[in-house]
Amino acid sequence: MTTPPLTLADQAAQAERLLDPAVWAYLNGGAADELTLRANLTAWQRLPLWPRVLRPLGGGHTRSVLAGRELAHPILLAPVALQRLAHPDGERASALAAAAQGAGYVLSTQSSTPLETVAQAVLGDPGRGPLWFQLYWQADRGFNRALVQRAEAAGFEAIVLTADAPVQGVRDRERRAGFVPPPGVRAVHLQGAPLAPPAADTYCAGLPAHAPNWDDLAWLQGQTRLPLWLKGVLHPQDARQAQALGVAGLIVSNHGGRTLDSAPASADALVQVRAAVQDALPLIVDGGIRRGTDVLKAIALGARAVLIGRPALHALAAGGALGVAQMLRLLRDELEMAMALTGCRTLADAGPALLTPTAA
């Protein structure tokens, strides 16, 4: 009899046994020496929780508020490309699992399932969390406008512009494994996307010239009625500039360690970004979150919610939609237990003192 997975690590082990080694390398590899990939994990692990005792816990809950909306818990699924690599039902299964667990879902531009299919699957669920669409900037503004308006028409509720990947990172593990998408798995939204003309015979081939800039962000805000979040912010000066432009919120992220190796761990960057914007902008963080205690630490550092990326793909590979729902429930249960054991009746009780005790 197979023991059911009890942790996210158990689901990852199951997924590794089931997936093609090249697919596993693509999903789990980081950039270059994978320093940032590892730092994302260890940064949360090195933060101690200082529990308080004998505090009233009656009526406690994991509810939180994000962008004016009450959520059952502060856990969302991150935009991850080509989810049909992990399971034939791909993004639709992940979105259904998120809706069943009251979690938010962010669909990638590089989805292997059409955005309309995903939206139709979950919009009718009254208990679902937010449904957002993530945009990778393309070389043509008209293509970007059409894709954003398509998401708006389908019922998505916010746009998430990823800003930290003007070019692909040097992903050595993936290249050594010889990963190529199998037949039938492709980024369905990018068919017909205009390619940036190469400006030089170099590795990047002129792509940075077509990367989004602050003017493009301001332009994009004028193309949709949906709130616009900016993903991939690590530097406090960028956070302040985004705030000045009136974005809806920031996602503190280093792309899961897949772009710039030696970028700071997301937990460390969250501290700097929070100090820069204070309470003026809601913050979400991703990268290396594997336990409910990590979620609680993120809230204590000033995040309103967290995004879960790789573990959702592990769960999808291990058990389809049911596996993803189980992963979300494991994290939520662990979060609730961590709250009770630290004396936090609600997430409003999780502040800086949870990580740095004071005598006052």
Side-chain angles (χ1 to χ4, degrees), residues 1 36 41 85 95 172 219 234 246 256 279 303 313 346:
M1 181 177 177
T36 299
L41 294 165
L85 290 170
D172 294 337
W219 172 85
L234 298 175
D279 290 325
L313 270 291
T346 71

XYZ file of all heavy atoms in Angstrom, residues 1 36 41 85 95 172 219 234 246 256 279 303 313 346:
102
model
N 0.855 -1.200 0.000
C 0.000 0.000 0.000
C 0.884 1.242 0.000
O 1.815 1.373 0.792
C -0.909 0.008 1.238
C -1.857 1.192 1.311
S -2.942 1.075 2.756
C -3.834 2.604 2.588
N 20.804 31.283 -6.374
C 19.558 31.918 -5.961
C 18.474 30.886 -5.724
O 17.662 31.027 -4.793
C 19.121 32.942 -7.021
O 20.140 33.946 -7.148
C 17.818 33.609 -6.641
N 15.231 28.827 -0.712
C 14.825 27.865 0.318
C 15.432 28.203 1.669
O 14.745 28.255 2.690
C 15.234 26.457 -0.101
C 14.533 25.873 -1.341
C 15.281 24.647 -1.843
C 13.096 25.508 -1.012
N 3.070 19.573 -19.386
C 4.263 18.747 -19.206
C 4.112 17.833 -17.994
O 4.663 16.723 -17.970
C 5.504 19.630 -19.004
C 6.013 20.427 -20.198
C 7.080 21.405 -19.728
C 6.564 19.502 -21.272
N -6.187 25.053 -12.017
C -7.169 26.095 -11.703
C -8.366 25.521 -10.955
O -8.885 26.145 -10.013
C -7.624 26.783 -12.986
N 21.560 25.928 -16.968
C 22.476 24.856 -17.346
C 21.879 23.475 -17.141
O 22.065 22.583 -17.980
C 23.780 24.970 -16.547
C 24.561 26.225 -16.898
O 24.362 26.757 -18.006
O 25.356 26.682 -16.061
N 1.902 52.659 -20.569
C 1.037 52.433 -21.728
C 0.064 51.289 -21.471
O -1.130 51.404 -21.778
C 1.902 52.125 -22.952
C 1.116 51.700 -24.154
C 0.526 52.514 -25.079
C 0.799 50.358 -24.543
N -0.127 51.761 -26.033
C 0.020 50.424 -25.733
C 1.102 49.102 -24.020
C -0.451 49.295 -26.385
C 0.636 47.970 -24.669
C -0.136 48.076 -25.843
N 12.626 43.327 -7.039
C 13.527 43.017 -5.926
C 14.132 44.280 -5.319
O 14.364 44.336 -4.117
C 14.665 42.101 -6.400
C 14.279 40.725 -6.940
C 15.517 40.015 -7.484
C 13.613 39.876 -5.869
N 1.412 54.032 -9.902
C 0.061 53.635 -9.520
C -0.296 52.203 -9.821
O -1.472 51.897 -10.059
N 11.937 32.416 -9.288
C 12.284 31.081 -8.812
C 13.739 30.727 -9.020
O 14.085 29.544 -9.109
N 3.002 50.485 3.832
C 1.669 49.926 3.602
C 0.999 50.474 2.347
O -0.176 50.187 2.087
C 0.757 50.228 4.804
C 1.150 49.440 6.041
O 1.585 48.286 5.891
O 1.024 49.982 7.142
N 4.230 40.596 3.592
C 3.460 40.168 2.417
C 1.997 39.996 2.786
O 1.662 39.634 3.918
C 4.023 38.863 1.867
N 3.402 22.184 -9.511
C 3.682 21.292 -10.640
C 4.027 19.896 -10.159
O 3.656 18.894 -10.786
C 4.810 21.870 -11.490
C 4.378 22.794 -12.627
C 3.650 22.000 -13.700
C 3.480 23.930 -12.133
N -5.172 35.326 14.324
C -5.397 35.627 12.915
C -4.078 36.085 12.312
O -3.094 36.343 13.020
C -6.454 36.738 12.722
O -5.890 37.994 13.136
C -7.709 36.442 13.524
